[in-house]
Each structure stands twice: as C-alpha cells, then as structure tokens.
Amino acid sequence: MLKALGIFQRATADHLWRMLRPGDRHDRCTRDTLNALKGGGKVWVETRLESGHQLWVLIERGHKEAKQLLPKSVRVSVLRKLQYDDGEPVDGDGFDEHAATVTMTATVLTGAGFGTPLSWQTEIAHRLPYGYTQYADLTMRAPDAGVPAMLLEVDRVNEPVDDLTAKLHRYNDWFELLAPKADKDRERAARRQGAAVHDFRLWSRIYPASGREGYVPVAFVFTGKTQAQRERRMRRLEQAARRCFAGARYPWAGFTAVDYHQAVPVVVTELERITAGPAGAAGPVWRRLGREEWQTLSWALGNPDGERLYRMEEEQSRRRQAER
C-alpha cells in the first residue's frame, strides 16, 4: 500500500482496494491498513471528496519508506507537506478531485488487465526546447496487454478544448526531438523510410517501441458533465488536432494506404464508459481519432490501413508492372 501511494500522489481506500485487493468483498482491510499507517505517522487524510471518500496521501515518514520499497526505475510522487494550525494538521485542497480521477483511471485499467500498480507513473516530464515542460497525468507500460507504453491525459470537462489540443501538439513536438548526438543529415535522409527515423529520436531512448507505426500513443479519458458534452469535446479535439494524428497518404498513384510513421496515435474514452460494461476497459470502449467505431484498445491502436496495406498495394503494383 505504501508503494501504491508512492506512485500515485493521492488515493482513496476504494482505489487501493480495487487495485491491490480486488478479491476482497469490500474495502475494510484496506481501510484498517490505512488507519494503521496513519497511526504510525506515515499517511494522512488530505481531504474528503465530493463523493464522500477520504483522500489519503503520504507524509514524510511514509514517503521515505515508499521510496525505499519502490524500484529505482519508478518515480516516487511528490511529498505532501503538512500544514499546521494551532498544532493540528490542516486538510488540503486544490487539485484533489483531478488527482483522485487520475488514480481511479489507473485502477480501472489495472483491473482490466493493463499491467500492475508498478506499471504506472504520474506527472512524467517531457521537456521542450522552447522552455515548456509537458507533464503526462499518467504513463502506462503494459507490454503483456500489447501496449508497451501509453501516455494518458484525464479531463473532467473543465479545461478549454484549445488547451487539450495544445497538449497534443506539445507531445507531437516532443516526439520529433532528435536524440543527443543524432546525425541530422542521416535523419533527414531516412525520413522517408518511416520507422527507421525513430531510431534518431529522443523518445525511442525513453519509451519502448510499440511494434506499430507511429509515436507513443496518447489517450484522453473524459469524465463528468453529460455524455453529450463529453462527445462534443471529443469531436472538437478530433477536428482541431488532426494534423497530429491523421498521417499522410503515400504519394504514389493507386495507393490508398496511409503513412502513420510520423503520427501520434490518439485514442479517447470516458471513465463512465470503461466502468459500465462487464469487460470494462478491456472491451470495445476506445475510439481512435479519425475513426467512427468503438474498439478494444489493441484494435484501436492498430493500423489496418497503414504499412501492412502499403506492402500489399506495393506487391500488387509490382505484379501489374510485371504483367505490362
């Protein structure tokens, strides 16, 4: 439990129960453990959410212990500094609801078979040369589920769509950064060779290859307000950010395949959708921007009209040429 709180900045007993002890019938054991950790001076209730759940955070002693327990490759969340009034800790506020939604998203995906609690990290920095750092709400590594890496942004329908579009453009800019000491001339020469270009990029030094065309996929998880409002946001994001995810047609006559090698695969879903059906996030609850159908995550990230189709059309073109 300390390790889970070390990864996620904030969590409720319900989150920790579903993520760590899904076989239990209720969260009593989780609550008892949290209260014991509180008695040991390792955790504290930061606030009570609108749902009525208490939001727990690590304090200094627990933060140090979690850091020792977690692998060095896992980023430990920021320490919650307690504030005091007349010697008593003061409840926190701020982005508690958003942080709780982020943890809930990871909980639901973990329960659907996308990795383990150690598969997640929060607020990973992606630094850009023009002075901006884009932080990902979540990064997921679930190679056993066919998703070696994915960046997730959680939106409670309270940010302007222009801000979401700007995030996606910044991710695209970061994916295009060259790795240190990369040969710029060779990169330009290899650009038309698709995936070969990725070897020159910074992101390929940090994230594993997906086994598919394109950069590391980005997912937007929407929640709150009405379903119609969430759908409108998805459509507006799709229209505004098309340059990042659409790919480009191959320039040869008769080819219908799309070159996705320099594109960001973007999928969207809703927290309400991935918690509603019996299959949860493992079901057809993801939509790839640029498509209409709802698919499983693996199918949504696939590119049936990409390189595989290109190879088939290339072979057909060669045959027609031989016949002529």
Side-chain angles (χ1 to χ4, degrees), residues 77-97:
S77 62
V78 177
L79 173 65
R80 155 73 164 120
K81 296 285 188 180
L82 283 181
Q83 296 180 346
Y84 293 88
D85 183 15
D86 292 332
E88 293 295 324
V90 178
D91 286 352
D93 54 15
F95 58 96
D96 299 321
E97 294 286 346

Side-chain angles (χ1 to χ4, degrees), residues 119-133:
S119 302
W120 299 92
Q121 295 191 66
T122 61
E123 295 296 322
I124 295 299
H126 301 82
R127 293 181 175 83
L128 291 155
Y130 44 80
Y132 197 96
T133 300

Side-chain angles (χ1 to χ4, degrees), residues 9-190:
Q9 295 181 3
R10 292 158 173 80
T12 66
D14 183 72
H15 296 151
L16 296 168
W17 162 48
R18 294 176 187 276
M19 183 179 292
L20 303 177
R21 302 183 62 88
D24 291 357
R25 296 180 59 184
H26 43 66
D27 66 353
R28 182 179 301 165
C29 180
T30 304
R31 286 186 283 109
D32 289 346
T33 304
L34 285 169
N35 283 319
L37 291 172
K38 179 182 177 182
K42 298 176 183 180
V43 301
W44 186 257
V45 176
E46 183 177 50
T47 189
R48 188 176 292 274
L49 301 174
E50 295 174 1
S51 62
H53 291 94
Q54 293 177 321
L55 196 63
W56 295 82
V57 295
L58 292 176
I59 50 181
E60 188 170 0
R61 187 176 174 184
H63 190 268
K64 288 180 179 178
E65 189 168 333
K67 195 171 184 178
Q68 293 173 348
L69 294 171
L70 284 167
K72 292 184 179 180
S73 59
V74 175
R75 177 183 179 275
V76 182
S77 62
V78 177
L79 173 65
R80 155 73 164 120
K81 296 285 188 180
L82 283 181
Q83 296 180 346
Y84 293 88
D85 183 15
D86 292 332
E88 293 295 324
V90 178
D91 286 352
D93 54 15
F95 58 96
D96 299 321
E97 294 286 346
H98 179 265
T101 307
V102 168
T103 306
M104 182 61 178
T105 300
T107 300
V108 171
L109 288 170
T110 303
F114 293 100
T116 69
L118 292 179
S119 302
W120 299 92
Q121 295 191 66
T122 61
E123 295 296 322
I124 295 299
H126 301 82
R127 293 181 175 83
L128 291 155
Y130 44 80
Y132 197 96
T133 300
Q134 178 62 51
Y135 291 91
D137 285 338
L138 285 168
T139 62
M140 179 181 79
R141 294 175 185 255
D144 291 343
V147 189
M150 186 165 74
L151 311 180
L152 293 95
E153 291 291 333
V154 177
D155 177 63
R156 298 175 59 242
V157 194
N158 57 1
E159 287 187 75
V161 175
D162 288 346
D163 289 355
L164 304 182
T165 304
K167 286 182 181 180
L168 196 49
H169 282 292
R170 287 192 290 267
Y171 280 128
N172 187 76
D173 291 346
W174 187 81
F175 290 135
E176 292 182 350
L177 293 178
L178 291 179
K181 300 182 180 179
D183 190 320
K184 295 181 181 179
D185 294 331
R186 288 182 61 196
E187 189 272 342
R188 281 193 291 268

Side-chain angles (χ1 to χ4, degrees), residues 183-236:
D183 190 320
K184 295 181 181 179
D185 294 331
R186 288 182 61 196
E187 189 272 342
R188 281 193 291 268
R191 182 175 288 270
R192 290 185 177 274
Q193 299 176 21
V197 177
H198 297 166
D199 295 336
F200 297 92
R201 298 280 169 78
L202 175 64
W203 72 264
S204 68
R205 309 292 201 271
I206 299 171
Y207 294 109
S210 67
R212 307 177 178 93
E213 302 102 296
Y215 301 140
V216 179
V218 176
F220 285 87
V221 180
F222 296 92
T223 186
K225 300 293 178 67
T226 67
Q227 184 176 3
Q229 288 173 303
R230 297 193 297 268
E231 176 63 25
R232 283 197 296 271
R233 290 174 78 79
M234 293 180 199
R235 294 294 179 184
R236 289 173 59 196

